[in-house]
Amino acid sequence: MDDTILNSDQLDALKEIGNIGAGNAATALSQLVGKKILVNVPQADFIRIDKMSVSSLSRDPQELSIAISFRILGVITGGMMVIFPQRSALLLIDILYNRNLGTTEIFNIEDESALSECASILSCSYLNAIAQLLNLYQLIPSIRDTFIDQFGKLTQVIIRRFIPEETNFLLPIENRLTVEGAEINVFVIFLLEPASMKKMLKTAGI
């Protein structure tokens, strides 16, 4: 497989892995908040880092967001980001603390910690889905780092500072969750090293 070209079957396989992870993540979040969560079909894409533009990841690159980044350790290596746009983050905080929707207007340290824990649960759900689907176990998220900035700046800074140089590809997945009538957007972005991507596709039989 060429490191820069994937065929349609390979692209579909990677996107399907992301879709299965999204379903697992929604279930985990539902258990955390104790409320029913509806999840739309996730929007997954596949982007080469050297072809990436901020607009390819977000419709509003200037929106203030909170991002939690991890490295993936184990039989597959790379990185992972979970990003909550501000509006969705504030709604999720209200839901986590059983507040009326719209109560929280700014983040505090406790809120950041709660969102970081949610991101940890979501990321583990995604990794568990990959492990079960591909029989690739021992996938472990590293200690997480948390950042608050504009969406566009977050993705650029985290990719540049915290992701290994060998990482060539992004698999961004936009999850749209509905909780008690409130829509919450969560972006999960995988940063894939070529060797790990090949291993995933080979195990999937593609």
Side-chain angles (χ1 to χ4, degrees):
M1 183 189 70
D2 191 297
D3 282 348
T4 62
I5 300 174
L6 294 179
N7 62 40
S8 59
D9 288 341
Q10 291 168 333
L11 288 171
D12 288 343
L14 287 174
K15 291 179 181 181
E16 183 59 22
I17 289 170
N19 290 341
I20 293 171
N24 278 27
T27 299
L29 189 58
S30 177
Q31 294 172 347
L32 175 66
V33 301
K35 302 179 187 298
K36 184 178 180 179
I37 292 180
L38 302 177
V39 56
N40 292 347
V41 177
Q43 299 297 309
D45 204 349
F46 187 77
I47 305 170
R48 277 181 49 181
I49 286 182
D50 60 355
K51 301 291 185 182
M52 185 194 77
S53 65
V54 174
S55 60
S56 65
L57 298 178
S58 173
R59 291 180 294 277
D60 186 4
Q62 295 184 340
E63 182 176 12
L64 186 68
S65 302
I66 180 168
I68 298 89
S69 70
F70 311 79
R71 294 184 190 277
I72 301 172
L73 309 174
V75 295
I76 288 177
T77 55
M80 191 172 179
M81 289 186 288
V82 179
I83 303 180
F84 299 97
Q86 182 180 33
R87 178 182 175 278
S88 293
L90 295 175
L91 288 173
L92 183 55
I93 290 167
D94 286 337
I95 292 168
L96 288 170
Y97 290 109
N98 291 311
R99 302 169 184 165
N100 292 328
L101 296 180
T103 299
T104 305
E105 297 181 348
I106 58 173
F107 303 122
N108 59 34
I109 294 177
E110 184 180 3
D111 297 334
E112 289 181 30
S113 177
L115 289 171
S116 181
E117 189 59 34
C118 278
S120 181
I121 291 170
L122 291 172
S123 65
C124 286
S125 297
Y126 266 90
L127 293 180
N128 287 339
I130 293 172
Q132 293 173 12
L133 180 66
L134 300 180
N135 292 318
L136 294 173
Y137 295 96
Q138 297 179 339
L139 299 182
I140 305 167
S142 71
I143 296 173
R144 54 190 182 258
D145 294 294
T146 303
F147 308 88
I148 297 178
D149 208 326
Q150 293 179 349
F151 189 105
K153 291 181 179 179
L154 283 172
T155 53
Q156 291 178 330
V157 168
I158 293 174
I159 289 170
R160 186 167 58 248
R161 287 187 59 191
F162 296 96
I163 304 304
E165 292 182 0
E166 307 85 51
T167 302
N168 290 359
F169 305 97
L170 297 179
L171 179 63
I173 306 162
E174 181 179 4
N175 304 275
R176 296 184 180 182
L177 311 175
T178 302
V179 188
E180 295 188 330
E183 184 176 283
I184 297 175
N185 289 353
V186 183
F187 291 84
V188 176
I189 303 176
F190 284 95
L191 300 106
L192 304 174
E193 297 175 1
S196 293
M197 186 174 63
K198 289 179 182 179
K199 183 180 293 185
M200 291 169 63
L201 292 171
K202 181 179 180 180
T203 305
I206 303 214

